[in-house]
């Protein structure tokens, strides 16, 4: 969420409309809201909170004094905030409840609170919601933060820093519950109680379930259920314990039978494995016999490639020998290319030198030219500054001449004004403004005299305007009476016309024909036609007279309104004064103004002396400038020579020197490259003699790339490794199969033996599996029956656990810490808040202080688990937060507030906070601690965040250039001024 613009009018100390452009501080990232105490710094933040939530934090629980006390009855009170959430821009405008003068008549009317929400779409504002309730619901969805969360994470209001740090456990729990929404954990206690009731119902069905399981166990056991004498015993007994013992004896019989069958299965399995082992040995012999044949074939194929591999080996060895000549060959090529490039550059430099009309070409001649040009450049560069300052000197000379002329004119004007002063005193009333031009100190007297003259004129016309107002109001009353009479006539005619409608309808009835109203063909009692019927023309004429009366009433009302406005305007100028008192005040103003004119004459004489001394100094400076200008012109003319300007001569000298330097450098480079080429060629020739190659071209032809050499080397190496490996493999196989002929090995006989053993083993496995299945089924039924029989004890123990858990969750015994589940959850949140806060508190306190979460039991049965202490590194002991000094409390509270803001932001759906306000508290910090706090706040603006601070601390004014200044005017209301101050 980013704030863009705030508009205040008639709000708090601000009477007139004030605008704050937060976007102007986006580049700085941090700005200071400063001003004198009581000017209204915190009211800026009150305006933001009121616009978004309809209330201000400083007025909670007290009389709502949002409207400015400086407002006149007709002045409006509105607050507007523009902000962006995501990629959508919004504007919310609110006005509180306040009293306003009635538009008609005397007295006041109460305006209800109002609000409307607009969205900026395609360059224009589109209305989205209207009314405080609808706007509040819409903003809940848009902003994503409640007012309480907003005050904890965005607008950290004055005197609220230490509220969370110094709060008691139950107070801190109420605040955290609102921020994190943990009240729902109370429902978990009800859920545990319901589980206890469900456990009691489960006890009643436990024995019934056990009986059903034992019946199924008897059916599965079959003959094993009976005793050795064949008697089933008390099969129908209802005692679950006795039936459980009989099931245990049946389980033992089934276990014995299953074990016997398992032994038979194991014997069959051993015979089967022995047959498979013999078959596997015969099969392995056959596989090695086949492997020997494959190895012989592979060795024959490798022998066929021997000549090809020999060619590859010779090519690889020749490339390796040529590789030693690669560097000399490359050096010759590089030297030849450089020599050719140097020759091209040398010819180009000679051409450029010839185009300048120069003939010197030896190294010594070029060095002389370069030295000569360097001297000319030095002279021209010194004169270039003189040529540049000529215009400035001429401009200063003209300015001094103008100043001398201006002062001479002022002296003449002062002399003329003093000579004319007696005449102006005599003509004060005729030409007041001309007499007051001589001194600015008389402006107030002149304005006061002019204002009194205006009020005298207004008082003389007030009686005439009041008489005109009385006549206009009387005319309006008459017009209203005529309008009421005309309207009454229309109503009477309409009533008579309505009463006569029945007679008109009756006159149109025909016997036997249906009535147009009821449809009846019989008309036993038709209405009579009135003696004096009202027609449409009568009504139209009456309505025309009503329209004329209405137009006359509107004109009379407008005339009366204009007359009242004129009287109010004049009465506002005159006030409570009379024309006599105003005339006396005007006479006294004339006396004061004459006295001021006499004082002005003395001041003019003093100013003339000062101007005379100033003009003498200016004339002396003028003579000095003229001498300096002449000397400068002479130096420039000498340095210019035959060129149009010193700059032109400087450019020509630089061009000539650059061309000479380029030619000398190119000549030297060309000679050096030729020498290098000869040396490289000589080195290559000497190396070729010892290399075995006849020519350089033979060596180049033998060269291969690194990849080609690696490929040839890999090919030869792979062949040699494969040949050696295959020979070794064949040797081992020949030794292993010594005495075994080349005929194939038969495996069919051993395969038949394995098949017969597998059939015997399969039958034994099926019999053992069936017996084991019955045994396991009976064991499962017995276990379930025993578990069901034990369920009563288990359920009782579980019920005890659930009851203990319910009491623990509610914070009752055996919960020794007296922490409810909600407190436990909030304690985890508080630990995360403390961890985030310590990241900043450690830096701000230079490593001395760190916050610690405490779950110590509170005294006198109070809520526990949400305590806060401060670990002091100097002592190594924890101390209560109340023991901190004012500055230390502020730092700890600020760190805790910022940590709380980070955690609440994460829990509020990841709301991005691009704007943050912090109100006061910096005055309690010393210089070093303030610097640490400022560095911490400076980190908050990273990532595009804008931080607004409220403070009157002078050090912060020096460190923060971007400021919003709140100033109280002499009349009372405050104003806002924003900008960037210069910090030196």
């Amino acid at each position: 969420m980013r704030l863009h613009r705030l508009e205040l009018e008639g709000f708090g100390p601000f009477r007139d409309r004030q605008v704050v452009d937060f976007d102007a501080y986006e580049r700085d990232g941090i700005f200071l809201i400063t001003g004198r105490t009581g000017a209204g710094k915190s009211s800026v933040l009150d305006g933001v909170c009121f616009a978004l939530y309809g209330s201000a934090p400083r007025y909670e629980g007290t009389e709502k004094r949002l409207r400015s006390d400086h407002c006149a009855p007709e002045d409006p009170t509105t607050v507007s905030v523009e902000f962006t959430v995501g990629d959508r821009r919004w504007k919310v405008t609110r006005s509180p409840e306040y009293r306003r003068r009635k538009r008609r008549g005397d007295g006041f009317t109460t305006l209800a609170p109002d609000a409307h929400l607009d969205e900026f779409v395609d360059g224009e504002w589109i209305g989205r919601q209207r009314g405080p309730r609808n706007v509040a619901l819409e903003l809940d969805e848009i902003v994503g933060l409640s007012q309480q969360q907003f005050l904890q994470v965005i607008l950290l209001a004055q005197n609220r820093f230490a509220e969370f740090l110094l709060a008691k456990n139950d107070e801190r729990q109420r605040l955290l519950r609102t921020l994190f929404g943990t009240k729902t954990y109370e429902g978990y206690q009800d859920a545990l109680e319901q589980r206890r009731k469900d456990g009691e119902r489960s006890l009643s069905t436990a024995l019934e379930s056990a009986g059903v399981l034992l019946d199924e166990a008897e059916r599965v056991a079959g003959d094993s259920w009976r005793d050795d004498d064949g008697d089933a015993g008390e099969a129908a007994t209802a005692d679950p314990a006795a039936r459980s013992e009989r099931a245990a004896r049946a389980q033992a019989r089934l276990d014995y039978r299953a074990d016997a069958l398992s032994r038979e299965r194991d014997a069959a399995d051993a015979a089967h494995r022995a047959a498979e082992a013999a078959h596997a040995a015969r099969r392995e012999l056959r596989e090695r016999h086949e492997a020997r044949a494959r190895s012989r074939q592979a060795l024959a194929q490798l022998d066929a490639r021997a000549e090809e591999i020999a060619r590859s080996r010779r090519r690889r060895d020749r490339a390796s020998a040529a590789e030693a000549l690669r560097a000399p060959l490359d050096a010759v090529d590089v030297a030849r290319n450089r020599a050719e490039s140097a020759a091209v550059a040398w010819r180009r430099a000679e051409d450029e030198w010839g185009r300048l009309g120069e003939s010197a070409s030896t190294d010594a001649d070029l060095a002389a030219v370069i030295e000569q040009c360097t001297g000319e450049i030095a002279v021209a560069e010194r004169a270039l500054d003189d040529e540049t300052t000529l215009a400035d000197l001429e401009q200063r000379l003209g300015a001094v001449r103008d100043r001398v002329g201006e002062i001479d004119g002022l002296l003449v004007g002062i002399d003329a004004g003093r000579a004319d002063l007696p005449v102006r005193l005599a003509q004060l009333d005729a030409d007041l403004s001309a007499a007051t031009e001589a001194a600015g100190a008389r402006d107030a007297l002149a304005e006061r005299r002019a204002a009194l003259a205006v009020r005298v004129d207004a008082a003389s016309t007030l009686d005439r305007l009041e008489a005109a107002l009385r006549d206009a109001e009387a005319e309006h009353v008459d017009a209203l009476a005529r309008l009421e009479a005309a309207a009454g006539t229309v109503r009477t005619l309409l009533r008579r016309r309505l009463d006569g409608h029945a007679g008109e309808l009756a006159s149109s009835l025909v016997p036997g024909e249906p009535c147009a109203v009821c449809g009846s063909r019989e008309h036993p009692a038709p209405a009579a036609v009135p003696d004096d019927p009202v027609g449409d023309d009568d009504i139209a004429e009456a309505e025309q007279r009503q329209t004329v009366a209405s137009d006359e009433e509107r004109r009379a009302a407008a005339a009366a309104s204009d007359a009242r406005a004129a009287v109010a305007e004049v009465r506002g100028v005159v006030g409570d004064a009379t024309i006599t008192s105003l005339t006396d005040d005007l006479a006294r103003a004339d006396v004061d103004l004459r006295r001021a004119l006499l004082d002005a004459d003395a001041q003019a004489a003093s100013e003339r002396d000062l101007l005379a001394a100033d003009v003498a100094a200016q004339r002396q400076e003028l003579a000095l400038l003229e001498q300096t200008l002449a000397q400068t012109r002479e130096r420039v003319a000498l340095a210019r020579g035959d060129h149009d300007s010193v700059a032109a001569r400087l450019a020509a000298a630089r061009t000539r020197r650059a061309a000479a330097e380029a030619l000398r450098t190119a000549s030297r480079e060309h000679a050096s490259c030729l020498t290098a080429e000869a040396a490289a060629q000589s080195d290559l020739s000497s190396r070729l003699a010892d290399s075995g190659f006849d020519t350089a071209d033979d060596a180049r032809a033998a060269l291969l790339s690194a990849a080609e050499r690696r490929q040839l080397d890999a090919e030869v190496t792979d062949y040699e490794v494969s040949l050696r490996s295959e020979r070794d493999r064949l040797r081992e196989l020949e030794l292993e199969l010594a005495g075994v002929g080349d005929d194939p090995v038969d495996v069919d006989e051993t395969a038949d033996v394995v098949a017969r053993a597998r059939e015997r083993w399969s039958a034994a496995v099926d019999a053992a599996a069936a017996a084991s299945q019955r045994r396991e089924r009976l064991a499962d039924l017995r276990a379930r029956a025993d578990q069901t029989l034990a369920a009563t004890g288990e359920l009782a123990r579980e019920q005890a656990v659930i009851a203990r858990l319910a009491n623990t969750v509610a914070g009752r015994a055996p919960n020794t810490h007296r922490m409810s589940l909600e407190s436990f959850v909030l304690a985890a949140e508080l630990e995360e808040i403390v961890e985030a806060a310590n990241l900043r508190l450690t830096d701000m306190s230079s490593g001395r202080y760190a916050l610690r979460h405490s779950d110590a039991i509170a005294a006198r049965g109070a809520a526990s688990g949400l305590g806060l202490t401060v670990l002091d590194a100097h002592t190594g002991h924890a101390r209560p937060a109340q023991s901190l000094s004012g500055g230390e409390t502020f730092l700890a509270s600020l760190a805790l507030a910022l940590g709380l803001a980070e955690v609440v932001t994460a829990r509020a759906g990841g709301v991005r906070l691009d704007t943050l306000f912090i109100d006061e508290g910096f005055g309690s910090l010393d210089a070093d601690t303030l610097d640490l706090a400022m560095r911490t706040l400076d980190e908050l603006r990273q990532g595009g965040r804008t931080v607004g601070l409220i403070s009157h601390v002078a050090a912060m004014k020096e460190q923060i250039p971007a400021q919003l200044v709140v100033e109280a005017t002499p009349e009372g209301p405050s104003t806002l001024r924003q900008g960037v101050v210069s910090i030196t």
Side-chain angles (χ1 to χ4, degrees), residues 153-164:
V153 303
I154 293 181
L155 197 158
L156 307 180
Q158 186 176 2
N159 299 326
R160 297 177 71 98
F161 273 151
E163 179 180 308
F164 185 72

Side-chain angles (χ1 to χ4, degrees), residues 435-746:
T436 59
E437 290 177 356
R442 302 189 304 279
D443 290 346
L445 293 175
E447 291 177 1
R448 177 169 171 264
R449 199 261 181 205
L452 286 172
V454 171
R455 293 181 68 188
V456 170
D457 293 339
S460 64
T461 61
L462 183 59
D463 294 340
R464 177 178 56 79
L465 292 175
E466 288 179 341
L469 174 60
R470 289 192 293 272
D471 295 341
E473 289 179 340
E475 178 60 27
H476 184 212
V477 171
D478 294 342
L480 281 174
R482 291 193 296 272
L483 177 60
E484 288 294 332
T489 301
V490 172
R491 289 194 296 271
T492 301
L493 291 176
L494 290 174
R495 191 179 299 108
R496 288 175 55 195
R497 177 66 181 275
L498 183 62
D499 294 341
H501 276 174
E504 293 180 8
L505 291 173
S507 63
S508 64
L509 293 175
V510 177
E513 296 294 331
C515 175
V517 177
C518 64
S520 175
R521 296 181 180 276
E522 297 180 358
H523 318 297
V529 178
D531 297 335
D532 187 13
V534 176
D536 292 338
D537 294 339
D538 297 332
I539 294 176
E541 182 180 357
E543 289 178 343
Q544 179 63 28
R545 289 195 296 271
Q546 181 183 4
T547 300
V548 173
S550 178
D551 293 340
E552 293 176 351
E553 188 275 334
R554 282 196 296 272
R555 287 193 293 271
S561 177
D562 293 342
R564 280 194 294 272
V567 169
E569 181 179 1
V570 174
R571 185 176 288 121
V573 174
V574 175
D576 298 332
T578 64
I579 191 169
T580 302
S581 64
L582 289 174
T583 303
D584 295 340
D585 291 342
L586 183 61
R588 286 192 294 272
D590 290 340
V591 172
D592 294 339
L593 186 56
R594 288 188 180 92
R595 186 181 300 111
L597 288 172
L598 293 175
D599 294 339
D601 180 57
Q603 183 179 359
S606 176
E607 290 180 354
R608 188 188 188 285
D609 295 339
L610 294 175
L611 288 174
D614 189 12
V615 75
Q618 294 292 335
R619 287 194 175 97
Q620 184 177 359
E621 183 180 358
L622 179 61
L624 180 60
L625 283 174
E626 288 175 345
Q627 181 182 359
T628 303
L629 181 60
Q631 294 173 353
T632 303
R633 284 173 176 167
E634 182 179 355
R635 288 195 303 271
V636 169
L638 181 62
R640 186 184 299 124
D642 298 334
H643 294 80
D644 296 336
S645 64
V646 176
R649 183 175 184 181
L650 178 61
R654 286 175 175 170
T655 301
R656 186 165 179 253
R657 184 179 65 176
E661 289 176 343
L663 178 57
R664 185 174 64 169
T665 300
S667 178
R668 290 177 177 178
E669 182 67 20
H670 181 226
S672 175
C673 289
L674 290 177
T675 303
E677 181 183 6
Q681 188 63 47
S682 175
D683 180 62
L684 177 60
S685 298
S686 63
R687 291 177 182 270
L688 278 173
D690 301 331
S691 64
F693 291 98
D694 296 334
T695 64
D697 292 337
D698 292 341
R700 287 191 178 92
L703 285 172
L704 293 175
S705 65
E708 291 174 327
R709 293 197 308 275
R710 286 195 299 270
Q711 181 178 358
L712 287 174
D713 190 62
E715 182 181 356
V716 172
T717 303
D718 292 344
Y719 173 81
E720 293 174 348
V721 171
S722 299
L723 181 61
R724 186 165 49 254
S725 299
E726 201 61 48
R727 285 174 176 171
D728 294 341
R729 184 182 300 110
L730 181 58
R731 185 182 304 106
E732 292 176 358
L733 290 172
E734 292 288 0
L735 292 174
E736 291 178 1
L737 297 177
V740 178
D742 294 337
D743 295 335
V745 179
D746 183 19

Side-chain angles (χ1 to χ4, degrees), residues 282-320:
R282 182 67 61 88
R283 191 170 57 246
E284 182 180 0
L285 179 60
R286 181 174 179 174
E287 289 175 354
R288 299 190 71 78
H289 188 274
E290 293 173 349
R292 182 179 65 179
R294 289 193 301 270
S295 180
R296 289 173 179 175
Q297 183 180 2
L299 187 59
Q301 292 175 352
L302 289 173
D303 290 340
R305 293 184 58 203
E307 183 58 30
E308 177 188 351
I309 297 303
R311 289 193 300 270
S312 297
R313 186 181 294 109
R314 287 193 298 273
R315 187 182 176 199
R316 180 196 62 182
D317 296 341
R318 187 172 174 80
S320 298

Side-chain angles (χ1 to χ4, degrees), residues 71-92:
C71 286
E74 63 274 13
D75 292 336
T77 295
T78 60
V79 179
S80 175
V81 168
E82 294 181 26
F83 63 96
T84 295
V85 176
D87 57 351
R88 303 174 69 180
R89 183 159 179 161
W90 303 89
K91 178 171 70 173
V92 57

Side-chain angles (χ1 to χ4, degrees), residues 83 135 227 249 268 331 361 492 647 663 695 733 757 783 883 958 983:
F83 63 96
V135 169
D227 292 332
R249 291 193 294 271
S361 59
T492 301
L663 178 57
T695 64
L733 290 172
S883 66
E958 297 173 357
I983 298 179

Side-chain angles (χ1 to χ4, degrees), residues 222-235 246 253:
D223 294 341
S224 299
W225 187 267
R226 294 178 175 81
D227 292 332
D228 295 338
D229 56 4
D231 186 5
E234 299 177 356
R246 186 177 291 275
R253 297 186 184 98

Side-chain angles (χ1 to χ4, degrees), residues 840-850 874 891 929 932:
R840 295 188 171 92
L841 180 58
T842 302
D843 291 337
M844 289 192 290
S845 64
S846 299
R848 178 177 180 181
Y849 294 115
H874 288 183
L891 292 180
T929 307
L932 291 173

Side-chain angles (χ1 to χ4, degrees), residues 394-433:
E394 292 173 351
Q395 185 178 3
R396 287 179 56 193
L397 183 63
V400 173
R401 287 173 177 167
D402 293 341
R403 177 60 178 165
V404 171
E406 180 184 354
I407 295 175
D408 289 339
L410 289 174
L411 289 172
V412 173
I414 290 176
D415 292 339
R418 294 183 66 199
D420 194 41
L421 189 59
V423 177
R424 293 182 183 273
L425 287 172
Q427 299 176 350
L428 178 62
D429 294 333
D431 195 8
L432 178 62
S433 62

